[in-house]
Amino acid sequence: MASGKRTWADIREGAVLYEDDAALLLNKPTGVSVLGERHDTDLVRLARDAGEELFAVHRIDKVTSGAILFAKELRHHGDLTRQFNKRTVGKAYLVLTRSSGLPARGRIDLPLSAGRKGRTRIAAPRDSITEHEGTWSVPASEILSEVKTYPSTTEFATVWTDGEHSLLVARPVTGRRHQIRVHLAWIGHPIEGDPLFDRQSTTRTCLHSWYLAFDAAWADGTRIARHAAPDAAFWAPAGAADPSALLTAADAGLATLLEN
């Protein structure tokens, strides 16, 4: 169903990961944005039109699916957004890359900037990117000086590969726009179906907000943690691989990332 034809009831049904009087954690489908900007419709507007006021705490891209958090009242919104800004929120993504050969653990330390037409890019020449023992970086002398740059770090664990695709659990240490998508593409491991780097792709973008954990100040600071299950289309590039087995492997990968 096209995003413009979806109703709030269609999206909400079966997608609630956590809900109380203060917050709603939803498993967002791909193809619908979180908040307006240039999009024809979005979750906040669809909810409002259906009589439910929600305040987006963070965003994930329109082509990205998975866990997205809303405050139900404005008085709770500030505390939740501060948790994202202070990086006390736990978050991890599932990623299917269109490549193999990544290490079991990796770290991408590449600054970002806005390129032509506002597109996010690495703030350094591509040929200056180096990899050493699973960490990608650029020398400080190569970072562009004529544009505003943003230090950006993504950590990942490779939990499966078939020689053509790899499944990663990725943890964005920083939360820049398009960070995981740009980081992986620029080190030569683009996300399957990502229209930023493959406009001819016929598959969905295989980037999924899989794990989210936050503190509920209105409930004595209780830590709320949930996983969002990807849909069948996410797993299609993995062929005959068993999604349940891949999720078990992803759980183990996430545990290694959260140890640090």
Side-chain angles (χ1 to χ4, degrees):
M1 185 182 297
S3 60
K5 300 296 185 181
R6 288 183 172 124
T7 68
W8 178 238
D10 292 333
I11 293 171
R12 209 183 194 288
E13 184 178 2
V16 175
L17 302 169
Y18 174 82
E19 183 175 13
D20 61 18
D21 291 340
L24 173 67
L25 182 60
L26 200 70
N27 189 356
K28 182 187 89 68
T30 187
V32 60
S33 63
V34 175
L35 198 58
E37 296 184 347
R38 298 180 302 275
H39 304 298
D40 293 335
T41 190
D42 58 82
L43 293 180
V44 170
R45 189 183 310 173
L46 286 171
R48 184 182 299 122
D49 290 346
E52 184 172 4
E53 189 76 10
L54 294 174
F55 304 92
V57 175
H58 63 120
R59 299 189 192 189
I60 56 178
D61 293 334
K62 181 177 181 178
V63 299
T64 304
S65 56
I68 184 74
L69 180 62
F70 299 93
K72 288 187 170 183
E73 298 181 31
L74 198 55
R75 63 192 176 105
H76 299 301
H77 184 261
D79 176 68
L80 290 170
T81 56
R82 280 190 292 274
Q83 291 182 50
F84 278 85
N85 292 335
K86 293 180 178 179
R87 303 174 188 169
T88 60
V89 171
K91 54 183 176 178
Y93 289 72
L94 292 178
V95 186
L96 273 169
T97 66
R98 204 168 59 244
S99 62
S100 61
L102 285 163
R105 285 286 303 272
R107 181 181 177 94
I108 307 171
D109 277 320
L110 296 175
L112 299 178
S113 67
R116 290 182 298 175
K117 298 183 180 180
R119 290 188 62 176
T120 304
R121 54 156 290 162
I122 301 300
R126 187 185 294 267
D127 59 10
S128 69
I129 298 173
T130 61
E131 185 270 331
H132 178 67
E133 295 183 350
T135 295
W136 285 260
S137 62
V138 292
S141 60
E142 295 290 335
I143 297 176
L144 302 177
S145 59
E146 66 272 17
V147 296
K148 187 171 184 179
T149 62
Y150 304 89
S152 305
T153 301
T154 302
E155 297 178 340
F156 66 85
T158 305
V159 299
W160 171 87
T161 184
D162 65 356
E164 295 183 3
H165 295 87
S166 296
L167 177 66
L168 314 182
V169 178
R171 188 174 80 88
V173 179
T174 53
R176 313 298 184 191
R177 182 172 183 259
H178 295 167
Q179 176 179 311
I180 296 174
R181 301 168 69 182
V182 173
H183 271 175
L184 286 170
W186 277 60
I187 68 168
H189 297 271
I191 296 172
E192 175 67 48
D194 189 346
L196 286 180
F197 303 99
D198 182 8
R199 294 186 178 182
Q200 305 304 314
S201 176
T202 58
T203 64
R204 62 152 288 180
T205 303
C206 292
L207 177 63
H208 180 79
S209 174
W210 178 52
Y211 170 81
L212 192 67
F214 61 94
D215 297 323
W218 59 89
D220 299 322
T222 300
R223 186 73 164 176
I224 308 297
R226 294 291 186 274
H227 290 81
D231 62 12
F234 176 89
W235 298 115
D242 179 7
S244 63
L246 296 182
L247 286 175
T248 298
D251 279 328
L254 176 59
T256 67
L257 293 178
L258 295 180
E259 286 174 358
N260 298 334

